[in-house]
Amino acid sequence: MFQAFPSILLLFLLYGVETAAEAKAKATEHGRFVTTDALGKTGQLTATIDAGGTTAGGVKPPVADAASLVEETAKPIDEYPSYTQGKCKGVPNMTNIVKNTCEYRYYMIDILENSGAANCQFAEIRLYYEDERSGLRTWPSNRIQAVMTNVQGQQLDPCESTQDIDKGFDRTSGANSLVCAKQNGVRMILDLSETVALKHYTIISVAGKDRAADPKKWKLFGMTSTDPTADLQLLDDVQDAAFPSGDWMCDPPWTLKKPETECLATTTTTTTTTTISATTTTTTKAAWCAYRWWCFEAHSVVGGESKEWGLAEVELRFNNAMVPIKTDRSNAWWLDGVSRYAATLLDNGTEPWQSIDGDPETFARMDQSYTATINGVERKALQAKLCIDFEEPKQATHVVFAAAPEVPIPQTWSYKATNEFPTEWAKWATVAKWMNASKSAFTKGQGGYSMHRAKLVCPQPQIAPCSMANCDDGMAPAKGNLCQSWKCDENDKANCCAATR
């Protein structure tokens, strides 16, 4: 009974004056209970532990041999498959540690010793950072590239061809998903795609395997490049770790510590790639779009049954690079729609800004219950539009959509843009669309995620309206006039700005 009580108490907090039974029934209907782990990170539970210590929904309870290491009931969660989550030996109290503030793109983990076996193995490594908006978050696994060698930097063969380092970041645990090296010492060099100050990390042990192969002693470094002989900065030194059982995630996690010395100097390199075709004698410049506001509208959903849909990420591309956007709640919203789950103190929900946060493991999802009557016309759920504001016109040639495996995928859809908002939906420019009702545009990839990359088609040339002009005090943009190019600048003020008095 004690184990079930925290979930019921939390449901009271989340659902206010509702009774526990009403709140639990509501949560069950929605398919998730909300809880938090020691990271302050939200986990989604689809089962609760009953009085007998078993679980509904196939989630594993804590194992008996972990009792000496677990101060409180471990929390099983349902992230890709289930695993048990609790305290591990060798993890210091994070409240007494000053966390790392140095930003690095490259990190190195040297596993110096395991618990006695000839091989070294683990199921997963999770990395965590902080942002001002959401607190502690998981660094997206699809942005991590990793190389595994021995501690001398020489090539290291996995125990089996399917047990290479990539398995350590595929968001999948279990007996058949692991990293295994044919020796005790292992070095992993991680490229996170951009600089970030990691704050915590944790490890998931392999299910059903000998605990003697678990990592026991290791060091974690920040790096200025992928060269392990260059300058390194020690961020953690673990001497005696132990996992209670297989398929176990250490929570609380290990903490990267603030170095006693200054952060190592890093440099940012921008690489421009030029593609040349040997089969053509002429070159063509791709057409591009330049708009401030962009909206995705789904007309139908794959399978045809669901009245809801969602997207994990929406990303504009120009010159083969992502178009930057400020990842703020105010920069994404539902037009004629609402979120399936609103954000709470403990959960980010499925709000629109999740589609621009750079993390495909979060997603925006609209709710089918929304209806509204506008000018006498009732607007149904699928008329919800996921809209993004780039704050100024941005050039783009392509758009990339990513869909999460647990969210209904749009089947037919339109992508529209405008430089004047608010304006009638019919006046928005259609820059991409998919109207094939028998074949989805999305291609399923690793981890069940689906993606689609669409070329944008826009009226040419792109000319911004004067409403985009930044006029001086006492002046306002003149309606109907156009700037000289796709982006209004100082030279357009004379033509675009008129006195307001």
Side-chain angles (χ1 to χ4, degrees):
M1 183 67 184
F2 171 78
Q3 292 173 313
F5 178 74
S7 293
I8 301 299
L9 176 61
L10 187 54
L11 288 169
F12 269 114
L13 296 175
L14 292 177
Y15 292 96
V17 297
E18 294 177 327
T19 66
E22 291 171 337
K24 184 173 181 179
K26 185 174 182 179
T28 303
E29 178 185 358
H30 288 178
R32 59 177 72 183
F33 291 129
V34 180
T35 186
T36 55
D37 57 28
L39 295 174
K41 176 174 66 73
T42 299
Q44 305 299 341
L45 289 176
T46 55
T48 52
I49 303 175
D50 63 26
T54 58
T55 63
V59 181
K60 295 179 289 187
V63 294
D65 65 349
S68 62
L69 298 178
V70 182
E71 295 179 342
E72 59 181 342
T73 303
K75 299 171 282 297
I77 67 176
D78 71 343
E79 286 186 291
Y80 299 96
S82 308
Y83 50 80
T84 309
Q85 190 172 328
K87 187 176 180 181
C88 293
K89 177 184 177 183
V91 182
N93 186 346
M94 71 170 68
T95 59
N96 300 326
I97 300 174
V98 180
K99 291 181 286 189
N100 171 51
T101 56
C102 296
E103 295 186 346
Y104 294 109
R105 172 173 173 169
Y106 308 103
Y107 290 83
M108 184 172 76
I109 303 175
D110 272 357
I111 299 178
L112 304 174
E113 184 180 328
N114 63 14
S115 298
N119 296 338
C120 184
Q121 64 185 22
F122 59 89
E124 284 282 317
I125 294 178
R126 304 281 172 87
L127 308 175
Y128 303 97
Y129 71 106
E130 290 179 349
D131 69 22
E132 296 179 357
R133 181 186 64 248
S134 305
L136 204 63
R137 305 198 69 179
T138 307
W139 187 255
S141 54
N142 69 332
R143 302 182 71 182
I144 301 172
Q145 298 184 47
V147 176
M148 181 170 64
T149 68
N150 62 19
V151 292
Q152 289 77 38
Q154 300 166 334
Q155 182 177 348
L156 185 63
D157 294 329
C159 300
E160 298 180 13
S161 60
T162 58
Q163 297 173 352
D164 203 353
I165 185 61
D166 291 342
K167 288 291 184 180
F169 303 95
D170 65 355
R171 303 290 293 180
T172 304
S173 59
N176 296 320
S177 179
L178 69 149
V179 178
C180 182
K182 293 181 179 180
Q183 67 176 63
N184 202 326
V186 175
R187 169 172 290 171
M188 293 170 285
I189 297 178
L190 313 180
D191 180 353
L192 274 55
S193 301
E194 63 181 274
T195 58
V196 61
L198 293 181
K199 302 297 184 181
H200 302 282
Y201 67 101
T202 193
I203 299 175
I204 302 176
S205 59
V206 178
K209 300 290 185 178
D210 183 5
R211 301 276 63 80
D214 290 340
K216 178 181 179 181
K217 180 179 178 180
W218 64 83
K219 294 183 179 181
L220 190 150
F221 302 88
M223 311 171 67
T224 58
S225 69
T226 57
D227 181 4
T229 64
D231 291 338
L232 304 175
Q233 188 157 60
L234 182 64
L235 301 175
D236 198 20
D237 186 354
V238 179
Q239 293 295 318
D240 190 19
F243 298 81
S245 70
D247 226 8
W248 186 283
M249 177 170 131
C250 295
D251 178 19
W254 284 274
T255 302
L256 284 77
K257 303 166 185 64
K258 182 178 179 179
E260 296 180 357
T261 58
E262 293 184 358
C263 303
L264 301 178
T266 59
T267 58
T268 302
T269 302
T270 302
T271 301
T272 302
T273 302
T274 303
T275 303
I276 300 175
S277 173
T279 59
T280 59
T281 56
T282 60
T283 58
T284 59
K285 184 177 180 180
W288 46 267
C289 304
Y291 292 105
R292 172 176 172 174
W293 290 279
W294 307 71
C295 287
F296 182 97
E297 180 183 27
H299 307 297
S300 63
V301 179
V302 171
E305 298 296 328
S306 177
K307 297 299 182 183
E308 297 180 1
W309 59 271
L311 291 173
E313 289 297 314
V314 178
E315 185 178 289
L316 291 179
R317 299 282 180 86
F318 186 68
N319 287 338
N320 295 319
M322 182 189 75
V323 177
I325 183 172
K326 180 181 177 182
T327 56
D328 187 270
R329 275 188 168 88
S330 63
N331 285 37
W333 75 99
W334 295 111
L335 181 63
D336 299 330
V338 294
S339 297
R340 182 70 171 91
Y341 300 104
T344 69
L345 291 176
L346 304 180
D347 185 12
N348 288 323
T350 62
E351 296 190 348
W353 68 272
Q354 301 280 24
S355 67
I356 58 173
D357 65 355
D359 184 357
E361 291 162 10
T362 63
F363 50 83
R365 179 173 181 173
M366 47 76 64
D367 187 79
Q368 65 176 335
S369 65
Y370 175 84
T371 58
T373 302
I374 301 176
N375 296 329
V377 179
E378 186 179 36
R379 307 178 76 84
K380 298 295 185 181
L382 282 184
Q383 287 180 280
K385 305 162 187 68
L386 178 59
C387 297
I388 298 171
D389 179 6
F390 279 81
E391 299 185 345
E392 63 179 4
K394 296 287 187 179
Q395 291 175 291
T397 56
H398 296 81
V399 62
V400 178
F401 305 112
E406 58 266 60
V407 179
I409 300 174
Q411 174 72 50
T412 55
W413 48 266
S414 299
Y415 196 49
K416 296 190 175 187
T418 187
N419 274 322
E420 295 185 284
F421 184 82
T423 188
E424 296 177 25
W425 183 243
K427 294 182 179 179
W428 288 55
T430 299
V431 296
K433 63 181 179 180
W434 185 270
M435 295 300 171
N436 189 333
S438 60
K439 181 181 179 181
S440 174
F442 289 81
T443 302
K444 184 171 290 188
Q446 185 177 0
Y449 288 88
S450 300
M451 297 188 69
H452 176 63
R453 181 176 184 267
K455 183 178 180 180
L456 301 178
V457 179
C458 301
Q460 298 292 316
Q462 289 283 285
I463 304 295
C466 279
S467 58
M468 295 287 98
N470 185 20
C471 297
D472 297 330
D473 291 342
M475 308 285 284
K479 295 183 179 180
N481 289 353
L482 296 175
C483 297
Q484 300 178 52
S485 66
W486 65 275
K487 188 175 184 180
C488 297
D489 56 28
E490 292 293 319
N491 297 326
D492 291 299
K493 286 185 176 181
N495 174 54
C496 287
C497 300
T500 57
R501 58 180 182 274

